[in-house]
Amino acid sequence: MKQMAFVTRMRCSACGRDYSPDEKVYMCLKKDGGRLDLDYDYSAIAEKVSKKNLAERAPFLWKYFEFLPLKSEKNAVTLNEGGSPLLKAESLGEKIGLRNLYLKDETRNPTGSFKDRSMTVGVSKAVEFGVRTVATASSGNAAASLAAYSAKAGLKCFAFVLESASTAKIAQIRLHGTRVVKVKPAEEGKDPTVQMLQKVIEEYGWYPCPSFGPFNPYQVEGPKTISYEIAEQLGWKLPDWIIIPVGSACLFAGVWKGFRDFKEIGFIDFMPKLAAIQSTGCAPLVKAFREKKSLRELEPWKNPRTVAGGLADVFPWDADVALNVLKKSGTAEEVPDEDILKAQKLLASLEGVFAEPSGVASLAGLIKLAEKGVIEKDETVVALITGSGLKDPEATMKMEGEVPTIKPDIEEFKRKILNAEQ
Ligand SMILES: *Cc1c(COP(=O)(O)O)cnc(C)c1O
């Protein structure tokens, strides 16, 4: 049982104030909207972890315990998340003109999205702090995941979701025993679920565990394990590009931090380029990137409208990291809903992977970047496929229309099905 945390300090990304990792703190006490960024003692980690001993550990998120902010491994609340496959996409690659395309298939996580990486860390930390009640604001996946981990840990959980949250996600949240509440919009450019979350934290002191950094700095550390896995799965030959769907940009920040951790410890010597993809119906980060704005100058999106519900964050809380990273390398791109739905179908029909619209926005963005020549055909590309298609079947059914019904009759089959196909 591992007993050590390698976090050296927590520093507010807004005001720079430092906190000790022993403090029971989730948000900067100045309430300035900053995220408490965790720093690690890499030379101490290097004494415990090598490429070789990583290869010997079973593939799941907590194999990277030393890079995570838990003090004792016994507090880890796990459903065996992480360790997702990296699939070589030959047919899809050929179709879009890329020779080395890989898919990081995050649909395989316990609740069907990468959010399990965030919530296993967030909930484990809640257990370590001894809290009893947790709360979240979410379009669905983060709440579904928090609900599952809270059930496993025996914590009470409240989830505030948007009215537009998919039925499948709401069903998941409820069955895990979480109190789920839909919250109506009240102010333009403000996420009503976040407004409600802020109120209950203030009123009851519950442990906030949404999937954005300024409310909970521990869960941010989960998604970085995606990068660790990619490095290991490619035999330490890093790809040129990672393509990331973006809502709050917490995933983006995590992916970046994962590669940076491995660079700090000397496992890799360069960072892949990162591409942030949003829907044209909600693209505050892409807009800020194009206008060279910082997070402080970024305007919240007024009226998000997209099939990619998981990307409909009016304010990208963790976009400071993305905007800094993208200034130096990488790119940001937006794609219309119809491209997202086309990419969803391509992925399912050519590669056998069924993803929800938010989960394939990365692929739609990649197709656009390849067409523009920003990404070249010989470059190695990893697209993150972040959520399962079973999360939001309504979006798909609307596109595909009615399924034909027949009697068990071969003539009817010939007439209505086979002949109709020609
Ligand atoms: C939350 C989510 C995203 C976006 O992640 P952020 O950290 O909010 O940028 C992408 N895909 C799916 C399926 C999600 O649930």
Side-chain angles (χ1 to χ4, degrees):
M1 196 59 69
K2 301 198 192 79
Q3 276 297 351
M4 173 104 184
F6 295 91
V7 180
T8 51
R9 64 149 192 243
M10 306 197 283
R11 173 166 289 179
C12 176
S13 62
C15 69
R17 174 166 170 181
D18 281 348
Y19 296 85
S20 146
D22 297 321
E23 281 178 75
K24 184 176 172 180
V25 58
Y26 324 125
M27 287 182 271
C28 181
L29 299 176
K30 288 201 182 150
K31 298 192 178 175
D32 52 13
R35 179 189 52 251
L36 304 182
D37 285 321
L38 274 54
D39 270 336
Y40 292 80
D41 182 347
Y42 293 104
S43 49
I45 296 177
E47 282 174 22
K48 302 261 176 198
V49 184
S50 65
K51 288 185 185 178
K52 186 164 169 294
N53 73 21
L54 280 183
E56 287 159 3
R57 298 181 187 178
F60 85 125
L61 180 134
W62 290 100
K63 79 179 250 184
Y64 304 106
F65 176 80
E66 289 85 348
F67 293 92
L68 295 167
L70 209 60
K71 292 211 161 81
S72 170
E73 214 180 3
K74 77 173 190 326
N75 294 326
V77 179
T78 178
L79 295 166
N80 209 359
E81 55 292 317
S84 68
L86 187 69
L87 305 170
K88 179 100 203 264
E90 304 273 359
S91 313
L92 183 60
E94 192 173 318
K95 176 95 186 168
I96 63 182
L98 293 172
R99 296 219 175 99
N100 299 298
L101 173 60
Y102 294 87
L103 309 168
K104 183 67 172 156
D105 186 3
E106 289 292 303
T107 70
R108 313 278 187 105
N109 279 298
T111 75
S113 85
F114 85 91
K115 294 291 196 312
D116 292 334
R117 295 184 189 261
S118 320
M119 295 305 143
T120 185
V121 179
V123 169
S124 300
K125 209 57 201 171
V127 167
E128 199 155 88
F129 283 133
V131 307
R132 301 295 317 146
T133 305
V134 302
T136 190
S138 161
S139 66
N141 281 340
S145 181
L146 181 63
Y149 287 88
S150 297
K152 176 89 179 169
L155 302 180
K156 199 167 168 62
C157 180
F158 288 84
F160 301 106
V161 302
L162 292 170
E163 284 181 289
S164 56
S166 86
T167 316
K169 294 177 189 179
I170 290 179
Q172 244 183 328
I173 304 169
R174 295 190 95 169
L175 224 62
H176 289 306
T178 283
R179 283 298 292 278
V180 51
V181 185
K182 291 185 180 180
V183 193
K184 293 192 182 102
E187 248 175 283
E188 219 177 51
K190 287 251 159 98
D191 183 329
T193 63
V194 175
Q195 289 181 302
M196 197 58 223
L197 176 65
Q198 281 165 322
K199 291 188 176 153
V200 298
I201 305 170
E202 191 82 2
E203 185 84 12
Y204 305 110
W206 293 340
Y207 177 85
C209 202
S211 60
F212 9 95
F215 291 80
N216 185 312
Y218 308 106
Q219 56 79 28
V220 188
E221 302 293 291
K224 71 184 187 180
T225 55
I226 291 176
S227 308
Y228 302 165
E229 289 175 14
I230 292 171
E232 283 203 84
Q233 286 168 318
L234 289 174
W236 303 99
K237 282 196 210 76
L238 290 192
D240 298 289
W241 287 93
I242 312 281
I243 319 295
I244 308 164
V246 168
S248 71
C250 192
L251 171 62
F252 187 105
V255 168
W256 175 79
K257 192 167 185 187
F259 288 116
R260 202 211 51 180
D261 281 351
F262 270 13
K263 191 154 173 277
E264 291 285 333
I265 201 171
F267 288 176
I268 59 173
D269 50 20
F270 79 99
M271 306 277 287
K273 288 172 278 189
L274 307 183
I277 313 298
Q278 295 201 291
S279 159
T280 47
C282 185
L285 172 74
V286 179
K287 187 161 181 281
F289 166 72
R290 292 203 175 127
E291 294 169 358
K292 300 192 168 33
K293 288 193 169 151
S294 68
L295 181 62
R296 288 197 177 277
E297 299 157 332
L298 179 149
E299 292 158 41
W301 203 259
K302 294 231 168 56
N303 196 3
R305 234 175 250 279
T306 171
V307 280
L311 310 183
D313 297 79
V314 294
F315 185 72
W317 293 94
D318 294 295
D320 54 331
V321 177
L323 291 168
N324 272 333
V325 170
L326 294 177
K327 236 190 283 175
K328 291 171 216 135
S329 80
T331 192
E333 188 57 83
E334 56 188 326
V335 281
D337 279 359
E338 58 191 84
D339 288 7
I340 295 176
L341 294 171
K342 267 191 220 149
Q344 185 187 31
K345 196 163 177 177
L346 268 184
L347 178 65
S349 60
L350 292 177
E351 297 296 335
V353 176
F354 184 31
E356 67 177 308
S358 308
V360 288
S362 48
L363 181 57
L366 171 60
I367 293 171
K368 193 163 171 187
L369 291 169
E371 275 167 4
K372 283 182 164 180
V374 176
I375 293 181
E376 293 174 36
K377 66 175 187 300
D378 288 320
E379 289 188 295
T380 302
V381 181
V382 176
L384 305 188
I385 307 299
T386 48
S388 164
L390 297 174
K391 291 277 193 171
D392 194 2
E394 293 105 330
T396 314
M397 293 312 286
K398 260 184 239 148
M399 283 269 291
E400 296 297 310
E402 284 280 306
V403 173
T405 309
I406 59 170
K407 290 197 240 18
D409 178 299
I410 195 71
E411 292 309 322
E412 195 180 351
F413 176 69
K414 285 183 192 164
R415 195 174 64 247
K416 284 203 188 154
I417 311 295
L418 285 188
N419 294 342
E421 263 186 9
Q422 283 149 21

